[in-house]
Amino acid sequence: ANTYPGDDGLSLYAACDGEVMLRQLRIDVVPQFVHEGTVPAGDLSIRVDTPVFITGSVEPGACVEAEGDVYIQGTVREAEVVSRSGGITVMGNVAGALGRPSVLRAAGEVDCRSVRYGRIKTAGDLRLHAEAWRSTLAVGGNLYLDGQVEFMLLDVVLDIAGGIFPRMETRIEAAPVSE
């Protein structure tokens, strides 16, 4: 869907902006809004009925709201990001300030690096790759941590429907070789 063949019969072109997917040996382009660069500070809002891909960060005061998944290559600073029917991935940090938290709300999974002065509400799982500090985390599924609980959750209010799963350190020691 959303593709058409080239005149040479060997090329396939996208009929819209989006994500290329291979499904049942068929190439589809799933419509997706792509915002090149950073969503600037201020009252700028992106509200779309498709998934969103942002190649930069989301700056203070901005709002991003999408019907599908939201993928942000940068950070979210004192902003709001909402996915009404999908998940949110933030490759960088989610950073608010005292009295001005960054807010992430998703119907699906949320995946981010660290959260400082943030409010995250997800109906799915939360995957946290660094610490959460002075934040509120409401998780409808499980909380997955890339470290130990005592180092990852600092002054955090938790509401978790599932469990907390820290990454476990595994040590393998070689046995001495006897001759």
Side-chain angles (χ1 to χ4, degrees), residues 125-136:
D125 295 337
L126 172 59
R127 297 182 186 282
L128 191 58
H129 301 284
E131 76 280 350
W133 186 67
R134 295 200 174 184
S135 297
T136 300

Side-chain angles (χ1 to χ4, degrees), residues 153-178:
L153 303 175
L154 310 166
D155 196 15
V156 172
V157 175
L158 293 173
D159 179 9
I160 301 173
I164 300 176
F165 298 94
R167 182 173 50 96
M168 304 304 277
E169 296 291 329
T170 305
R171 282 192 164 163
I172 300 174
E173 295 184 24
V177 177
S178 58

Side-chain angles (χ1 to χ4, degrees), residues 2-74:
N2 294 318
T3 61
Y4 61 93
D7 293 336
D8 61 6
L10 300 174
S11 302
L12 187 65
Y13 296 96
C16 65
D17 286 341
E19 181 178 4
V20 177
M21 310 266 310
L22 179 62
R23 296 180 181 166
Q24 299 175 350
L25 299 177
R26 181 179 157 173
I27 297 174
D28 292 334
V29 176
V30 178
Q32 182 177 62
F33 177 80
V34 178
H35 179 85
E36 297 284 345
T38 294
V39 179
D43 294 329
L44 177 68
S45 295
I46 295 175
R47 287 186 170 80
V48 294
D49 291 330
T50 63
V52 173
F53 186 92
I54 298 171
T55 63
S57 297
V58 180
E59 294 295 319
C63 178
V64 176
E65 188 172 341
E67 188 56 44
D69 292 333
V70 178
Y71 183 87
I72 300 167
Q73 282 188 315

Side-chain angles (χ1 to χ4, degrees), residues 90 111-114 127-131 144-147 152:
V90 180
D111 190 316
C112 63
R113 185 150 171 71
S114 70
R127 297 182 186 282
L128 191 58
H129 301 284
E131 76 280 350
Y144 294 96
L145 304 171
D146 276 358
M152 297 283 294

